[in-house]
Amino acid sequence: MADRKPIIGQITNRNFLAPTGFEFTVNRAPKISYFGNAVNIPGMTLGVTAQPNYLRDIPLPGEKLEFEDLTLRFLVDEGLENYMELQKWLRGLGFPESLSETYDFQRTKGELHSRTDREIDQLNLFSDGTLTVLDNLLNPKFKVKFQNLFPYTLTTLEFDATQQDLEYFTAQVSFKYTIYDIEKVVPGHCD
């Protein structure tokens, strides 16, 4: 019997990607990572330009690539630590009470102990984040690395004493970012 050779261009791993296999971390907000229960790899759209033609315009690839938002849904801990971590970040970006609130936020080192004071003053508004995609055996397969994340929406927590069944709070935060890259994880190789 002849050896079967793979057909060029065919998928060699025929296992499906499971939507439950992921880990997500944000350097500036580590408390949201543990209770994260849904996250997305954002879509992207390439702008299109039209080349005029007497019969019909001809679509051509444009120049700008637009990235959709990164959205994380997470369970809220009883002490509101993960929710408040994001709320403080948003308040620091938007300084709702005074300008000093944003300056204090920028000077706060938080979890960023390896940075100098000058770097904190310049970079503390943003954070990098990583989505690790796991295979069916929960081994890392890919890392989606986001650069310069910042939150711009955080959902409401609505208390309701009339609920019949106990449902724990989930919140959702949406981030803007500069760019993301998907990198394959090499087994046995550490970042």
Side-chain angles (χ1 to χ4, degrees):
M1 184 173 196
D3 288 336
R4 287 185 146 177
K5 293 183 181 179
I7 299 170
I8 296 175
Q10 289 293 317
I11 295 174
T12 56
N13 181 347
R14 305 232 169 144
N15 294 321
F16 299 112
L17 185 63
T20 56
F22 71 92
E23 296 172 355
F24 182 70
T25 59
V26 175
N27 298 353
R28 180 144 192 25
K31 293 177 181 175
I32 63 170
S33 302
Y34 184 74
F35 291 119
N37 58 11
V39 68
N40 64 318
I41 297 177
M44 57 178 75
T45 303
L46 178 64
V48 178
T49 188
Q51 176 182 341
N53 187 308
Y54 70 97
L55 293 175
R56 78 173 195 91
D57 290 346
I58 299 169
L60 296 172
E63 297 174 349
K64 290 186 179 179
L65 191 60
E66 297 291 328
F67 293 95
E68 292 179 5
D69 295 339
L70 169 64
T71 304
L72 172 69
R73 189 174 66 231
F74 60 97
L75 289 165
V76 178
D77 65 279
E78 192 174 57
L80 286 177
E81 289 181 42
N82 53 10
Y83 189 84
M84 291 302 297
E85 185 175 55
L86 289 166
Q87 190 184 74
K88 286 177 184 175
W89 190 358
L90 277 162
R91 291 172 67 96
L93 292 171
F95 46 88
E97 293 179 25
S98 70
L99 284 174
S100 65
E101 193 170 357
T102 195
Y103 299 139
D104 292 343
F105 171 78
Q106 289 177 21
R107 284 187 205 88
T108 304
K109 289 186 179 180
E111 301 293 326
L112 307 174
H113 298 294
S114 64
R115 292 187 175 168
T116 66
D117 287 338
R118 181 178 172 176
E119 288 173 319
I120 289 168
D121 285 342
Q122 294 175 356
L123 302 174
N124 206 26
L125 301 177
F126 306 100
S127 178
D128 290 344
T130 303
L131 169 62
T132 304
V133 179
L134 309 174
D135 66 11
N136 290 322
L137 300 174
L138 301 180
N139 296 314
K141 292 297 279 185
F142 295 93
K143 288 191 181 278
V144 184
K145 295 186 176 184
F146 296 87
Q147 295 178 18
N148 299 325
L149 289 166
F150 67 92
Y152 76 97
T153 64
L154 180 61
T155 57
T156 303
L157 294 181
E158 186 174 327
F159 292 86
D160 182 358
T162 64
Q163 278 190 349
Q164 297 296 319
D165 296 324
L166 177 62
E167 291 183 31
Y168 295 105
F169 275 118
T170 58
Q172 185 168 301
V173 59
S174 293
F175 294 94
K176 296 287 186 186
Y177 52 93
T178 305
I179 194 167
Y180 72 85
D181 295 301
I182 301 175
E183 302 171 359
K184 188 168 185 156
V185 173
V186 178
H189 184 266
C190 296
D191 282 344

